Amino acid sequence: MIRTAVPADVPVIHSLIRELAEYEKAPQEARATPEQLHEALFGERPAAFAHIAEDDAGGGTVGFALWFLNFSTWRGVHGIYLEDLYVRPMARGNGHGKALLTELARICAERGYQRLEWSVLDWNRSAIDFYDSLGALPQDGWTTYRLTDEALTKLGTQE
């Protein structure tokens, strides 16, 4: 079962983000607090959205998708950028990841969004195979750049 996250889900979303960071071998990078997540998802002006995957049998949370809107200047419409998709290891292979992506694709279709995009680590072969099986295409010729920490501060304080 896939459902829209509610404020009471923030602690489990935070926990899932920590699990994802461990899986991606970067636990030190996951610094978001539950308070920050609550504000981003449910504050006065939400900047992100989340969906929860629950186990059909037990009802427990087994995964999540956290996303936000982007905008294509070429297409002239919004799209969804999927920041995180994570399903707990014991629940993988049961359709939860596909159900989360299906829900996001449904939202795109319903709202007229023309893109659903995300990134995947080059070494995550099982995720790449899964995305390929859905018909998703890698964006060859593009390299992701990121400014954080000191480099971001340095650039942002230049006059």
Side-chain angles (χ1 to χ4, degrees):
M1 181 179 94
I2 305 302
R3 63 175 176 78
T4 303
V6 297
D9 292 316
V10 168
V12 74
I13 293 170
H14 186 257
S15 177
L16 291 164
I17 289 169
R18 301 288 308 159
E19 289 177 36
L20 174 59
E22 290 283 340
Y23 175 77
E24 292 185 349
K25 303 175 177 105
Q28 71 284 356
E29 297 295 321
R31 296 182 253 176
T33 66
E35 295 78 20
Q36 288 172 313
L37 290 173
H38 187 276
E39 182 62 27
L41 294 167
F42 305 107
E44 193 172 311
R45 293 185 341 174
F49 309 91
H51 284 79
I52 300 293
E54 291 182 335
D55 181 59
D56 293 334
T61 299
V62 295
F64 81 113
L66 194 144
W67 56 277
F68 54 88
L69 294 179
N70 59 13
F71 185 81
S72 170
T73 57
W74 289 18
R75 299 226 173 176
V77 296
H78 282 291
I80 287 178
Y81 186 84
L82 175 60
E83 179 65 21
D84 286 334
L85 174 69
Y86 180 72
V87 175
R88 288 181 162 146
M90 86 298 200
R92 292 183 189 153
N94 294 321
H96 301 293
K98 183 176 182 181
L100 285 163
L101 286 171
T102 298
E103 176 62 12
L104 297 186
R106 186 195 63 73
I107 291 168
C108 286
E110 179 181 274
R111 298 180 187 178
Y113 303 160
Q114 294 185 12
R115 288 184 179 166
L116 171 55
E117 297 180 313
W118 62 91
S119 297
V120 61
L121 290 166
D122 293 337
W123 58 259
N124 195 343
R125 189 76 243 165
S126 63
I128 291 168
D129 291 344
F130 168 62
Y131 299 142
D132 287 346
S133 77
L134 299 175
L137 300 173
Q139 298 300 293
D140 294 331
W142 293 86
T143 300
T144 302
Y145 279 83
R146 179 179 294 160
L147 279 171
T148 62
D149 303 324
E150 292 176 33
L152 178 61
T153 301
K154 182 179 177 182
L155 182 62
T157 57
Q158 289 182 0
E159 293 182 21

